[in-house]
């Protein structure tokens, strides 16, 4: 009796539990401990793997891969938040094939659940995606997804992006441990992303320094200004990943810029284009001596008038080459449509590159100017020596022969001496002419054909109601003789006046081109065309001017596509 009471008071009711149940519970606890240990090891391995990479793109892919493995998710994605802090600018995925992505269409921009994490950067765990108020559903061809886990990635207290995990395998749900593991990975990911960014920035600075060194070396080795501008455009385009690069320089005597060279996407449509300084993208960068950006150049009102030249292109930046009153040109870089906008971090080294390039160009010009001064000084010395020595000696020799001729009685010998004196006089005239040529200076200033064409077009703009687009190619001022240039300017004035009076056009394009053999002027409009039976005295005058110079006039006109006038004449024989 005492034993029974003692047992009832001090012992738990264990006899009712089976031994195998105790063993199963013990085994479950051991398995859970092992699972936790293995998961910690996996997390550490993932952190180390992510931290090894230095290439930013590869780091992001490693983060997504590691996240999917750690929480056993079928689908994983990392969305990078754009500069505006409201949309996703990049999206890296795991679990969806390239074919599925192509069928789904454009990557998400941050609406619905994805946008919820952007607006509220806190871990978000859902048993069913469709049950959340912010859920918008999925686009066509998107794989079905139910369970969801998302965590933000912070880089130096700023939200870089978000990790999105969906569809935990075996139909299970994401739990608190999954959330904790993923949040820990996000911290390590932030450090890895920051390291990769710093490495990327240092590599970018190194590339800019190499480009500056290359340009300086080329200029100091005697390369011309055109070669330097080409090198500047090539390196800037290569480093920034631009699809189009232009270099525009100021036109002497006008308030315009001309596109000296263009590289990349449909570059031919940009070469030789004349752009007004006022109210243009390039012009604002030129007058302000500071970079000017455009989120989408294809629909920017600051782009010059004329036919669309930026189709298929998007973000752009115009950077001055030089500073203050010493701006020597503008570099325009344009990325493909849908590309990332130029950020301050990109523009800063680009601006420094352009400034150093301007210094190198100026030093090269100073060196060439010093060489030119040396040449001019040498010419002055030669002219002085010819005047003070050669002419005086020739003159003295002529006087001696002329005096000696009086004492020569032989008629034929006397005539020969007289002819020799005449030859000396003629030689003195030739030398004096040479001296004048050595000391002559080019007085041309803003009177070249380029400047005259821009002035004529500018004077016509108020009558037309808009500014015609102008494009020039070739050595217009060098190859076209003055007489031909005078005729060409008269033809251009007549053509634009006729367009203003009769064409009712909304767009006019002027193109002036020369290859050294002929010069070609094209004036095209989108007006009503040239009516049949109308007065053609102006066109007849243009044709006569072309014929007078050995050229011709071509006219293409139709009511539905306006009129195109092509006036071409040779500028060199043969």
């Amino acid at each position: 009796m005492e034993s029974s009471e003692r047992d009832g008071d001090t012992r738990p009711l264990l006899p009712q539990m089976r031994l195998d149940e105790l063993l199963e519970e013990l085994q479950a606890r051991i398995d859970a401990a092992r699972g936790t240990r293995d998961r910690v090891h996996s997390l550490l391995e993932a952190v180390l793997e992510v931290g090894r990479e230095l290439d930013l793109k590869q780091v992001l892919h490693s983060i997504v891969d590691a996240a999917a493995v750690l929480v056993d998710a079928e689908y994983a994605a990392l969305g990078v938040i754009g500069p505006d802090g409201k949309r996703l600018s990049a999206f890296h995925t795991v679990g969806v094939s390239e074919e599925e992505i192509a069928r789904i269409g454009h990557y998400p921009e941050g609406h619905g659940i994805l946008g919820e994490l952007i607006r509220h950067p806190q871990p978000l765990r859902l048993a069913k995606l469709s049950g959340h108020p912010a859920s918008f559903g999925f686009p066509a061809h998107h794989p079905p997804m139910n369970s969801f886990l998302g965590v933000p990635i912070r880089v130096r207290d700023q939200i870089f992006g978000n990790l999105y995990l969906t569809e935990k395998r075996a139909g299970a749900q994401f739990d608190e441990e999954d959330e904790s593991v993923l949040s820990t990975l996000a911290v390590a990911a932030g450090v890895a992303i920051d390291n990769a960014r710093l490495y990327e920035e240092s590599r970018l600075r190194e590339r800019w320094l190499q480009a500056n060194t290359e340009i300086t070396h080329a200029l100091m080795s005697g390369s011309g200004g055109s070669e330097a501008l080409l090198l500047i455009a090539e390196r800037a385009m290569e480093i920034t990943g631009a699809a189009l690069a232009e270099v525009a320089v100021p036109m002497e005597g006008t308030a315009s810029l001309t596109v000296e060279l263009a590289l990349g996407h449909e570059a031919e449509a940009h070469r030789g284009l004349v752009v007004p300084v006022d109210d243009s993208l390039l012009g604002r960068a030129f007058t302000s001596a500071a970079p000017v950006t455009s989120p989408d150049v294809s629909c920017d009102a600051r782009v010059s008038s004329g036919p669309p030249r930026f189709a298929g292109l998007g973000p752009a930046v115009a950077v001055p080459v030089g500073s203050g009153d010493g701006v020597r040109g503008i570099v325009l870089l344009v990325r493909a449509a849908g590309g990332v906008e130029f950020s301050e971090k990109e523009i800063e080294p680009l601006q420094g590159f352009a400034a150093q390039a301007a210094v190198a160009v100026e030093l090269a010009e100073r060196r060439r100017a010093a060489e030119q001064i040396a040449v001019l000084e040498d010419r002055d010395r030669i002219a002085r020596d010819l005047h003070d020595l050669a002419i005086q000696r020739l003159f003295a020799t002529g006087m001696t022969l002329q005096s000696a001729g009086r004492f020569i009685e032989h008629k034929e010998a006397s005539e020969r001496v007289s002819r020799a004196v005449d030859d000396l006089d003629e030689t003195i005239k030739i030398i004096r002419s040479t001296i004048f040529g050595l000391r002559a200076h080019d007085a041309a200033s803003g009177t070249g054909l380029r400047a005259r064409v821009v002035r004529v077009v500018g004077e016509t703009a108020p009558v037309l109601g808009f500014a015609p687009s102008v494009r020039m190619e070739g050595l217009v001022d060098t190859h076209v003789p003055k007489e031909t240039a005078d005729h060409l300017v008269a033809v251009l004035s007549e053509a634009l006046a006729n367009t203003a009076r009769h064409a009712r056009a909304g767009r006019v394009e002027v193109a002036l081109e020369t290859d050294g053999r002929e010069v070609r002027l094209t004036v095209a409009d989108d007006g009503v065309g040239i009516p049949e039976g109308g007065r053609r005295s102006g066109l007849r005058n243009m044709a006569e001017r072309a014929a007078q110079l050995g050229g011709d006039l071509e006219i293409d006109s139709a009511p539905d596509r306006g009129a195109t006038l092509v006036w071409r004449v040779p500028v060199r024989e043969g």
Side-chain angles (χ1 to χ4, degrees), residues 378-390:
D378 200 35
R379 286 182 178 180
D380 285 342
R381 181 186 60 77
I382 294 171
R384 191 166 53 250
D385 289 347
L386 285 172
H387 182 271
D388 295 344
L389 300 175

Side-chain angles (χ1 to χ4, degrees), residues 108-377:
E109 295 184 353
H111 305 294
I113 293 295
L114 305 188
E116 184 71 16
L117 222 63
I118 295 174
R119 293 185 293 273
H120 307 287
Q122 299 294 332
L124 178 63
R125 183 158 43 94
L126 301 173
K128 195 171 184 62
L129 270 169
S130 59
H132 194 280
S135 178
F136 286 174
F138 297 104
H141 308 295
H142 198 287
M145 296 179 181
N146 291 298
S147 56
F148 174 85
L149 174 60
V151 296
I153 297 176
R154 288 179 170 83
V155 177
R156 297 191 180 187
D157 297 327
Q158 290 187 345
I159 302 298
F160 172 83
N162 297 304
L163 274 171
Y164 306 108
L165 287 298
T166 59
E167 286 299 283
K168 189 173 178 69
R169 297 184 188 277
Q173 296 294 323
F174 295 108
D175 55 25
E176 290 184 7
E177 189 174 340
D178 292 326
E179 182 179 318
S180 177
V181 167
L182 204 59
S183 297
T184 304
L185 178 66
V187 173
V191 175
I193 290 168
D194 192 29
N195 289 338
R197 276 179 163 180
L198 291 173
Y199 177 74
E200 194 175 72
E201 289 173 7
S202 67
R203 289 285 298 162
L204 190 61
R205 280 194 293 270
E206 183 183 352
R207 293 180 70 187
W208 283 121
L209 287 173
Q210 288 176 346
N212 265 319
T213 302
E214 187 178 358
I215 290 168
T216 302
H217 181 267
L219 284 167
M220 294 300 105
S221 299
S223 297
S226 298
E227 289 85 351
L229 292 178
L230 177 61
L231 197 56
I232 290 170
E234 285 178 341
R235 295 298 171 265
M237 181 178 176
E238 175 188 331
I239 294 173
T240 60
L244 172 70
E246 293 182 8
V247 177
V249 297
M251 292 183 64
E252 186 178 357
T254 69
S256 302
L257 302 168
T258 180
V259 179
E260 186 78 10
L261 59 91
L263 304 170
H265 182 76
E266 297 185 359
E268 296 80 8
H270 300 266
R271 293 192 189 108
L273 186 68
V274 176
V275 181
V277 170
D278 296 333
D279 298 325
S280 69
L281 186 68
L282 294 173
R284 289 192 183 183
F286 181 78
T287 54
S288 65
V292 177
T293 60
S294 171
D296 188 354
V297 74
S298 64
C299 57
D300 196 317
R302 297 171 296 180
V303 173
S304 60
S305 60
R309 294 181 175 87
F310 294 97
L313 298 174
V317 60
V319 180
V321 179
S323 59
D325 296 332
V327 177
R328 298 175 174 274
I330 303 294
V331 176
L332 176 69
L333 299 170
V334 190
R335 286 181 172 145
V340 180
E341 293 183 28
F342 287 90
S343 64
E344 288 296 329
K345 285 188 176 181
E346 286 184 292
I347 295 173
E348 185 179 350
L350 175 59
Q351 193 174 5
F353 165 73
Q356 290 192 29
V359 172
V361 171
E362 184 171 355
L363 287 174
E365 288 179 355
R366 294 287 177 89
R367 180 173 59 81
R368 283 192 290 273
E371 292 173 352
Q372 186 66 26
I373 289 172
V375 170
L376 293 175
E377 289 177 346

Side-chain angles (χ1 to χ4, degrees), residues 100-105 137-143:
E100 288 176 311
I101 292 172
R103 286 198 300 271
I104 293 170
F138 297 104
H141 308 295
H142 198 287

Side-chain angles (χ1 to χ4, degrees), residues 28-49:
R29 292 180 182 273
I30 292 172
D31 291 341
R34 285 176 178 170
T36 301
R37 182 198 64 186
D38 293 342
R39 199 163 198 188
V40 169
H41 287 168
S42 298
L43 177 59
L44 290 174
E45 289 176 0
V47 169
L48 291 174
E49 182 64 29

